[in-house]
Amino acid sequence: MSAQKEGATQADAMSHSSRGSVGEIPYQPVFVGALKEELEALLGRYPTKMAALLPALWIIQRERGWVSEEAMVEVGQQLELTPAYVKGVVTFYTMYHQHPVGKYFIQVCTTSPCLACGADKVVEAMLAQTGCGDLGATSPDGRFTVIEVECLGACGFATPIMVNDDFIESVTPEKVPQILTQFK
Amino acid sequence: MGYPHKSHPKETPILSKYFGEPQARTLDGWKERGGYRALQQSLGMTPADIVNVLKESGLRGRGGAGFPTGMKWSFMKPGDGKAHYLCVNADESEPGTFKDREIMRWTPHALIEGTAIGAYAIGAEVAYIYIRGEFTEPLRVMEAAVKEAYAAGILGKNAMGSGHRIDIHVHRGAGAYICGEETALMNSLEGRRGNPRIKPPFPAVAGLFGQPTTINNVETLAAVPHVLNNGAAWYKAMSLSNPKSTGSKLFSVCGNVTRPGNYEVTLGFPFKDFLYDLCGGPLPGRKFKAVIPGGSSVPIQTMEEAESTLMDYEGFVAKGSMLGSGGVIIFDDSQCMVRHIARLARFYAHESCAQCTQCREGTAWTTKILERIEAGGGTMQDFDTLLEIADNMTGKTICVLSDSCAAPVVSGIQKFKHEFEAHITGKRCPFRATAAA
Ligand SMILES: Cc1cc2nc3c(=O)[nH]c(=O)nc-3n(C[C@H](O)[C@H](O)[C@H](O)COP(=O)(O)O)c2cc1C
Ligand code: SF4
Ligand code: FES
């Protein structure tokens, strides 16, 4: 992260792109062309630029799969926020990935109501059959990451899981093999 | 309708009448079902008159606290020259609660209509619907419905030809239970970390973007068009027990029960009939043991308490708990209460925003001690320690997340102490032992 306090400058972003964490590939900005327009349209919804931060981070994650430090600098530039501020916000919320994740990011609810219906057994089956082994680890083939998640707001359909952006409800350990075949 | 089940004859399907009917999702389908009449009528009334109808109806907030909606709206002063805002709380993350999700999935225009009426009544030109980040399907449905409403001129700078501007924007959260707390939601919407704010100032004075703001739950706003269409007297008459609790309410039912799902009943409905008749009672060969009736933040009830409860704001309090968000969590005799209370404590420890020492430390230590007891390493001194921590967590923090963690712990020890003792004396979880045998 840059130690600069004031809003990120162009030069600041450049210096970041040259030492990007994705090896030698220079950072490609997200907000150009149609995506810049999408951001501009969002800005019209709020009286401050800062309020567009969560939606802007969603655009980044949609496009890139995760929110890198370079992307935090970029969004900060767009919204006149410091990289440190943006990082503070990103780290508060559980849904922004700060690292690349498996192609299929699986979240299993294990909060008490689902636990009462056997959610722990669903987690076990998921870890074993995806090859992930451990919570948060990515499977050797890079396809899956499995984590536990707090209440998904679908407790009557225990056990709900989220695969990337979609819910699958009423999952039981027996259904896990069938469910996983959908995700190549 | 007990979605995903057929409506039970004892239900009062008003909000849930069209759950499961895809046609009701579209603007045309909604209009065919009487949609947007209430908004049209409201735009011809003065804001003060609308607020009075709401006051008379007795409608109370469905988000958890049960604050009278009309009174909340009356704190706003339309025409004071400031920008006003309405925030719709669709963060629905309270364990056991999944009713707002169904309202948004099946009847998005009911929420838009109620939101538009609310915005006009409090003098707001802009309303934001803050939807939890995980609710991707409700998000898509709401966004599509808002788009339809703009295209039809229902929303926008001349809403339904009234000359009033009503803008509604859908805003996606990003995973944080605490953002359901009203001031945390406002911070989050402003692009900040979702930390609750110290009150006062209250939102009606300085809320979103520092301006006068009202925040309401999805279900509260979805009820508003019905109140205006049918009148305050009609709504007020829907009350089976205490006259301070009026209207119908959605209860989400989950856990160890034959028919989980959403059920809509008139407030004051007998909880015993609800549990055994509507929800079908326990699973075969099982008995109900405990109920958390209003989302995980309210005290646990024994079956004796639950079976003598009348389902309204006062009725749940009289029987040792609260109506809360209406998320009914049922545990049967196969379940270990210590394990569940420990898991709930872990939930609160995970979700604490960590601003207040009592909450940050209290939720973490409570979780550690409970998990140790569950694992067989508890001592009789742990009761005092847990209760002392709980006392320090209650009524002493910026928001009530801290109190919410203490509620199941205190009520659990009070009502199921024998289960804790069995863990301590047996040095293991008696339920797991049975399962292994
Ligand atoms: C920790 C915490 C979480 C909350 N979560 C929600 C929620 O997810 N949805 C909701 O409507 N209210 C939630 N509330 C209650 C809101 O702060 C607020 O009281 C409510 O949205 C007001 O709307 P109402 O008057 O229509 O009920 C929560 C409160 C706290 C303290
Ligand atoms: S009580 Fe807990 S969640 Fe609420 S403001 Fe304090 S630390 Fe944050
Ligand atoms: S507890 Fe699992 S979805 Fe609510």
Side-chain angles (χ1 to χ4, degrees):
Chain A
M1 272 319 235
S2 164
Q4 245 176 288
K5 275 268 168 67
E6 62 274 27
T9 61
Q10 192 67 37
D12 189 30
M14 298 290 282
S15 77
H16 274 80
S17 56
S18 58
R19 53 182 176 80
S21 54
V22 255
E24 295 306 307
I25 308 163
Y27 178 70
Q28 298 290 328
V30 175
F31 297 107
V32 289
L35 295 177
K36 174 78 179 164
E37 281 166 29
E38 190 179 347
L39 182 64
E40 299 277 318
L42 276 173
L43 288 174
R45 296 182 174 186
Y46 311 97
T48 66
K49 283 191 167 181
M50 190 197 271
L53 180 54
L54 266 60
L57 291 167
W58 277 122
I59 294 176
I60 292 170
Q61 184 148 310
R62 186 186 73 205
E63 298 300 319
R64 298 290 156 89
W66 63 297
V67 182
S68 65
E69 302 233 338
E70 292 84 350
M72 293 183 210
V73 172
E74 190 199 346
V75 77
Q77 261 184 299
Q78 296 287 342
L79 303 178
E80 294 166 23
L81 303 166
T82 64
Y85 178 86
V86 174
K87 188 164 189 175
V89 171
V90 169
T91 52
F92 185 87
Y93 298 94
T94 57
M95 292 185 78
Y96 296 125
H97 303 312
Q98 292 165 64
H99 307 280
V101 295
K103 185 173 171 199
Y104 300 107
F105 187 70
I106 303 180
Q107 309 188 63
V108 184
C109 171
T110 60
T111 309
S112 185
C114 286
L115 186 62
C117 302
D120 49 340
K121 302 286 187 293
V122 175
V123 172
E124 278 172 27
M126 280 289 175
L127 288 176
Q129 295 177 39
T130 53
C132 290
D134 279 317
L135 288 169
T138 298
S139 59
D141 59 8
R143 274 198 297 162
F144 297 108
T145 305
V146 179
I147 67 160
E148 290 184 332
V149 68
E150 298 292 353
C151 181
L152 285 173
C155 332
F157 310 89
T159 295
I161 68 169
M162 258 188 109
V163 183
N164 297 343
D165 263 352
D166 295 308
F167 273 60
I168 302 177
E169 294 168 351
S170 310
V171 176
T172 58
E174 297 73 40
K175 291 188 196 163
V176 168
Q178 171 63 28
I179 288 169
L180 291 178
T181 58
Q182 301 170 47
F183 304 107
K184 301 285 179 222
Chain B
M1 162 180 279
Y3 183 79
H5 312 288
K6 271 207 212 112
S7 185
H8 189 283
K10 287 186 184 165
E11 281 188 70
T12 309
I14 294 169
L15 304 170
S16 59
K17 192 169 174 192
Y18 303 115
F19 285 6
E21 270 185 44
Q23 304 91 312
R25 270 188 191 153
T26 63
L27 179 57
D28 288 345
W30 189 244
K31 281 188 164 167
E32 278 162 26
R33 290 164 179 79
Y36 291 109
R37 274 195 290 129
L39 176 59
Q40 182 92 65
Q41 177 201 336
S42 299
L43 291 169
M45 295 166 68
T46 65
D49 285 342
I50 300 174
V51 171
N52 280 332
V53 172
L54 265 298
K55 273 189 180 167
E56 270 173 48
S57 74
L59 173 65
R60 292 166 69 177
R62 304 303 196 215
F67 195 85
T69 307
M71 198 193 295
K72 191 183 262 193
W73 290 8
S74 74
F75 298 152
M76 303 288 283
K77 303 286 170 235
D80 60 4
K82 295 181 184 165
H84 291 190
Y85 293 102
L86 176 62
C87 290
V88 183
N89 195 336
D91 195 54
E92 187 159 73
S93 316
E94 171 89 350
T97 318
F98 48 96
K99 62 186 177 67
D100 299 340
R101 174 176 179 249
E102 299 310 324
I103 292 174
M104 292 188 283
R105 281 169 92 186
W106 296 111
T107 58
H109 286 286
L111 179 58
I112 294 171
E113 186 173 3
T115 301
I117 296 170
Y120 172 70
I122 63 165
E125 294 192 334
V126 183
Y128 296 100
I129 305 180
Y130 184 101
I131 304 184
R132 67 175 293 183
E134 291 86 350
F135 276 0
T136 47
E137 189 199 343
L139 260 157
R140 284 192 289 263
V141 176
M142 286 309 308
E143 274 172 352
V146 164
K147 217 170 154 185
E148 272 186 309
Y150 270 105
I154 291 167
L155 299 176
K157 55 177 180 290
N158 183 14
M160 293 192 103
S162 65
H164 297 283
R165 172 187 283 278
I166 303 176
D167 279 324
I168 297 181
H169 303 298
V170 175
H171 190 94
R172 182 181 184 187
Y177 165 71
I178 192 59
C179 292
E181 195 279 338
E182 53 189 22
T183 57
L185 186 148
M186 290 170 198
N187 271 342
S188 180
L189 238 166
E190 290 180 16
R192 303 173 195 274
R193 292 166 71 90
N195 291 325
R197 300 174 182 170
I198 293 173
K199 291 185 269 190
F202 289 94
V205 175
L208 188 66
F209 304 115
Q211 303 298 317
T213 302
T214 295
I215 179 160
N216 278 122
N217 171 259
V218 168
E219 186 185 354
T220 311
L221 290 168
V224 166
H226 297 286
V227 174
L228 282 146
N229 275 334
N230 300 295
W234 166 82
Y235 201 77
K236 208 172 155 180
M238 266 192 282
S239 174
L240 297 173
S241 172
N242 193 304
K244 285 188 194 144
S245 288
T246 63
S248 64
K249 167 92 187 84
L250 282 166
F251 288 89
S252 311
V253 182
C254 65
N256 309 123
V257 60
T258 301
R259 280 194 299 274
N262 282 298
Y263 296 88
E264 186 173 3
V265 293
T266 301
L267 284 175
F269 193 87
F271 204 19
K272 188 173 182 179
D273 292 357
F274 183 85
L275 292 169
Y276 292 91
D277 193 357
L278 275 63
C279 308
L283 294 164
R286 290 290 169 198
K287 277 203 290 247
F288 287 157
K289 177 158 80 180
V291 179
I292 307 183
S296 63
S297 303
V298 308
I300 304 173
Q301 286 187 311
T302 61
M303 287 322 295
E304 199 180 9
E305 288 172 321
E307 287 172 11
S308 56
T309 296
L310 295 174
M311 302 171 78
D312 60 22
Y313 294 98
E314 297 74 22
F316 281 108
V317 172
K319 298 293 171 181
S321 191
M322 287 189 285
L323 182 143
S325 61
V328 180
I329 308 169
I330 307 175
F331 300 109
D332 71 17
D333 54 355
S334 70
Q335 299 295 314
C336 170
M337 295 310 291
V338 177
R339 185 184 193 204
H340 283 295
I341 296 165
R343 184 63 186 85
L344 288 175
R346 175 164 286 279
F347 169 82
Y348 289 105
H350 185 260
E351 302 298 337
S352 166
C353 85
Q355 282 189 104
C356 317
T357 311
Q358 297 94 322
C359 175
R360 182 183 63 242
E361 301 298 317
T363 52
W365 282 104
T366 301
T367 307
K368 276 190 190 167
I369 297 171
L370 287 169
E371 288 181 351
R372 177 164 51 72
I373 298 175
E374 167 66 4
T379 68
M380 290 297 176
Q381 282 80 53
D382 287 337
F383 290 115
D384 286 346
T385 314
L386 282 170
L387 292 174
E388 196 186 322
I389 296 173
D391 186 50
N392 281 323
M393 287 170 73
T394 306
K396 299 181 177 69
T397 49
I398 296 176
C399 87
V400 295
L401 181 140
S402 181
D403 308 56
S404 302
C405 179
V409 177
V410 174
S411 56
I413 293 179
Q414 210 175 41
K415 297 171 190 177
F416 296 92
K417 194 168 187 186
H418 54 279
E419 289 198 20
F420 288 78
E421 287 168 345
H423 282 73
I424 295 168
T425 53
K427 297 198 190 315
R428 64 176 178 176
C429 174
F431 291 87
R432 295 201 195 188
T434 330

